[in-house]
Amino acid sequence: MRRRQSLDRQTDRQTDGLIKLFQYVFGIAYVKLSDIATITRGGSFQKKDFCDDGVPCIHYGQIYTRYGLYADETIQCVSEAVAKKSKKAVKNDIVMAVTSENVEDVCKCVAWLGDEDIAVSGHTAIIHHNQNAKYLSYYFHTSQFFEQKKRLAHGTKVIEVTPDHLNNIVIPLPPLAEQERIVSVLDRFDTLCNDISSGLPAEIEARQKQYEYYRDKLLTFEEKAV
């Protein structure tokens, strides 16, 4: 067992070294999600387990309707007893809903930025990684990711993406400093869009489309020639 763990750590270091080399030479590394993250399935608590005070939690259904790209507070809690039997997400994990009624919504996700560990319901994937959490969350809402998840989605009435299959998702990965710069730009765009409290629907829709265009543009890269 110890030898296996040692080999795993050695492989992780070698992969990390190759990623940094590609980032240095080309400015970008195209990696599989499994190269930078581990993916586990969520737990099994239900809406009936919600309570007013207890351990913070995220239910997969709320990811579609109540959460944005990232959060540092949850909307609901579950009891200590329920939480002990639940899967947990820690700070910077991505919580992704892998079941939906349509392809557009499946794999919607939220980056958990709170300091406290949270309980996570079923029908989710918990993505534990070593990158900028908001960068990954932004990428998981792009048209590039949509084309990949579309190939993984299955079902008719209920659309699902098997968490293990997410390991093969390819992600354009710049160095962490560049990830932070991109996140800073997208945060400003996101704030601008979300601050619209009034206005014509056409105006709001146009600004949202503009935001989506620049988000996808910022997360599309050309490799440097060598």
Side-chain angles (χ1 to χ4, degrees):
M1 181 65 178
R2 288 181 180 176
R3 178 174 173 78
R4 173 61 183 273
Q5 289 175 339
S6 177
L7 288 171
D8 287 344
R9 284 194 295 271
Q10 183 179 353
T11 302
D12 289 343
R13 286 195 296 269
Q14 290 171 341
T15 301
D16 190 52
L18 283 172
I19 290 172
K20 289 179 178 177
L21 176 62
F22 271 83
Q23 289 172 335
Y24 177 76
V25 174
F26 300 108
I28 189 79
Y30 288 89
V31 303
K32 288 186 177 181
L33 187 55
S34 60
D35 291 330
I36 59 168
T38 56
I39 302 172
T40 56
R41 293 173 180 264
S44 58
F45 71 80
Q46 302 174 26
K47 288 182 179 179
K48 65 180 178 63
D49 295 315
F50 290 160
C51 61
D52 293 332
D53 190 29
V55 178
C57 71
I58 289 181
H59 185 273
Y60 83 98
Q62 296 170 333
I63 296 175
Y64 302 119
T65 57
R66 305 289 298 277
Y67 287 101
L69 291 161
Y70 48 89
D72 56 13
E73 293 182 351
T74 66
I75 298 162
Q76 300 285 354
C77 294
V78 291
S79 68
E80 292 277 358
V82 170
K84 282 182 181 178
K85 297 183 288 185
S86 300
K87 296 291 181 66
K88 301 290 197 311
V90 302
K91 186 173 184 177
N92 290 325
D93 282 355
I94 305 289
V95 182
M96 180 178 286
V98 293
T99 300
S100 177
E101 296 177 353
N102 56 69
V103 175
E104 287 72 25
D105 286 338
V106 73
C107 292
K108 191 173 185 300
C109 67
V110 55
W112 173 244
L113 304 181
D115 293 324
E116 193 172 358
D117 294 358
I118 58 170
V120 179
S121 78
H123 300 292
T124 61
I126 302 170
I127 302 172
H128 185 69
H129 59 91
N130 58 3
Q131 302 298 312
N132 186 300
K134 290 170 76 173
Y135 174 85
L136 292 180
S137 189
Y138 276 120
Y139 179 75
F140 289 142
H141 288 82
T142 62
S143 58
Q144 298 98 308
F145 175 68
F146 178 84
E147 291 303 315
Q148 294 191 72
K149 75 171 182 180
K150 195 165 63 173
R151 294 193 290 269
L152 300 178
H154 57 88
T156 50
K157 291 184 179 180
V158 176
I159 307 299
E160 182 178 2
V161 170
T162 305
D164 289 348
H165 293 171
L166 292 168
N167 280 308
N168 293 318
I169 290 291
V170 175
I171 297 173
L173 200 69
L176 282 169
E178 179 64 6
Q179 291 180 37
E180 290 170 8
R181 186 193 71 82
I182 291 170
V183 164
S184 177
V185 173
L186 290 173
D187 278 351
R188 291 198 292 271
F189 258 107
D190 189 47
T191 299
L192 182 64
C193 289
N194 289 329
D195 277 351
I196 301 173
S197 57
S198 62
L200 296 173
E203 180 185 353
I204 296 172
E205 183 181 357
R207 187 163 293 187
Q208 181 64 28
K209 286 182 178 179
Q210 184 184 36
Y211 160 71
E212 291 172 358
Y213 169 80
Y214 282 109
R215 179 196 62 202
D216 286 6
K217 191 86 171 173
L218 273 169
L219 292 168
T220 301
F221 302 88
E222 293 183 7
E223 293 184 15
K224 293 190 297 188
V226 291

